Amino acid sequence: MSASKTKPIRWGMVGGGRGSQIGYIHHSAALRDSTFELVAGAFDIDPERGRAFGVDLGLDEARSYPEYAAMFAAEAERPDGIEAVSVATPNNTHFAICKAALEHGLHVVCEKPLCFTVSEAQELKALSQARHKIVGVTYGYAGHQMIEQARAMVKNGDLGEIRIVNLQFAHGFHSAPVEDQNPSTRWRVDPTTAGPSYVLGDVGTHPLYISEVILPHLTIKRLMCARQSFVKSRAPLEDNAVTLMEYDNGAIATVWSSAVNAGSMHGQKVRIVGEKASIEWWDERPNQLSYEVQGEPARILERGMGYLYPEARIDDRIGGGHPEGLFEAWANLYRRFGFAINKEHGLAPDGIEGLAFPGIDAGLEGVRWVENCVRSADAGGVWVDYL
Ligand code: NAD
């Protein structure tokens, strides 16, 4: 990958303050390739803590704002004001903050879930199109190089017709009611802050998006979902869910979303079964992709190797053998967000235009999937047409 010839995009953050779970990876990924430059922020629900955090990150004190509305208004008045903003706050704030950012003419990188309902997502999509602004959604695992390899293998027919898709993101960290002590978990199990689901939106949408990247030609026709609250106090939100889906080509998928898979770390796995061969990827071993041809010994494809498809090698940062991880995957996504933003600004492409990145449609589809799963589960776990 050649270095970008464009200037860094002036960038701000909402949320992701000191001690937050995901703020650090946003800074690290966005700044990794100098695609973005952090110049402003409203980092925290506590204005003073947020201001101090921004100053520690090296911001001009006047641009470390007490809240996002003040930041959008003040930055819009500056000739060197922010051009893009990332939103890394709890779920219930995403819609209002993204809407305000787009109305202020900003490109947006938003955490998942994009918002609570399909109609809200459609409103954001219409606004982003009307204002010619990019909305990226941080389905961060999709930036791993072996996901591009899997996408190219399916496209090139290495697996044959796709029959079965087996998805899971099933960790064990919330097997007990840890929310009693942990504020970062507490908002996730409260419908007013988390939205209509817990694990479906919090973890299930990650492998769902990866399956959309690998299998862009498949469309979900109908699904059925059952969801449970094994820690009773979490009801009506689920801490475990099983979804069965049918695609329009007759293929079938299962998605296991869980926070109570005791003993499991992440447990995010994607297995795609075709008529000739299968591939399997596990986010705890992201540098490897298992390629299993029926009747032959299984092969482990390694990141960074010359035998990968060219689309996958574009993401290579350090060559085979050296392990890459989540920071590199997120940096790959931020580089693509930057590419899309620069393209909107009429600046020259830098050679990654063919790569998939989670944009507004990915955000919308994640919200749509959760809405359909909840509709099925709440009707008793029945098949519902995918709306
Ligand atoms: P967290 O509770 O650990 O941190 C939230 C941060 O937002 C805190 O710094 C808080 O002070 C700040 N905040 C809250 N309201 C604010 C407001 N109105 N204005 C400014 N700052 C505000 O939460 P988290 O775990 O970091 O999750 C944040 C978001 O990121 C959630 O939507 C979550 O779903 C998402 N997330 C995504 C991934 C991923 O892999 N993409 C991983 C973890 C979390």
Side-chain angles (χ1 to χ4, degrees), residues 235-287:
L237 296 191
E238 77 291 346
D239 50 22
N240 189 77
V242 179
T243 306
L244 188 61
M245 314 193 295
E246 272 180 9
Y247 294 104
D248 55 355
N249 76 334
I252 189 108
T254 52
V255 191
W256 179 24
S257 313
S258 188
V260 293
N261 181 17
S264 164
M265 295 301 287
H266 256 193
Q268 181 179 200
K269 289 185 178 168
V270 173
R271 183 173 178 84
I272 314 281
V273 180
E275 60 184 336
K276 295 192 288 195
S278 302
I279 47 178
E280 185 163 321
W281 181 82
W282 178 19
D283 84 335
E284 293 168 38
R285 306 256 171 95
N287 297 294

Side-chain angles (χ1 to χ4, degrees), residues 4-85:
S4 169
K5 295 180 209 70
T6 52
K7 278 193 184 159
I9 295 160
R10 296 186 302 276
W11 174 63
M13 278 197 72
V14 182
R18 197 188 307 281
S20 67
Q21 200 181 102
I22 208 66
Y24 180 67
I25 196 161
H26 278 272
H27 313 148
S28 307
L31 304 181
R32 180 77 67 101
D33 297 312
S34 303
T35 312
F36 294 85
E37 178 189 12
L38 184 67
V39 295
F43 297 96
D44 206 295
I45 190 75
D46 177 326
E48 180 48 32
R49 204 170 49 188
R51 189 201 58 76
F53 183 63
V55 170
D56 284 354
L57 289 177
L59 291 187
D60 173 350
E61 191 165 353
R63 296 179 84 179
S64 186
Y65 295 91
E67 47 95 34
Y68 74 87
M71 173 166 82
F72 294 164
E75 290 290 314
E77 296 298 314
R78 297 177 66 112
D80 62 349
I82 53 171
E83 302 164 279
V85 67

Side-chain angles (χ1 to χ4, degrees), residues 14-23 26 42-46 49 66-68 87-94 97 111-113 138-141 169 183-185 187-188 201-202 206 326 330:
V14 182
R18 197 188 307 281
S20 67
Q21 200 181 102
I22 208 66
H26 278 272
F43 297 96
D44 206 295
I45 190 75
D46 177 326
R49 204 170 49 188
E67 47 95 34
Y68 74 87
V87 181
T89 50
N91 302 354
N92 60 319
T93 62
H94 294 175
I97 300 174
E111 265 306 343
K112 37 63 47 180
T138 38
Y139 290 117
Y141 306 96
F169 195 150
S184 200
T185 309
W187 69 253
R188 283 175 158 79
D202 201 53
H206 279 294
L326 196 62
W330 276 64

Side-chain angles (χ1 to χ4, degrees), residues 123 156 174 326:
E123 191 179 333
N156 287 297
H174 301 163
L326 196 62

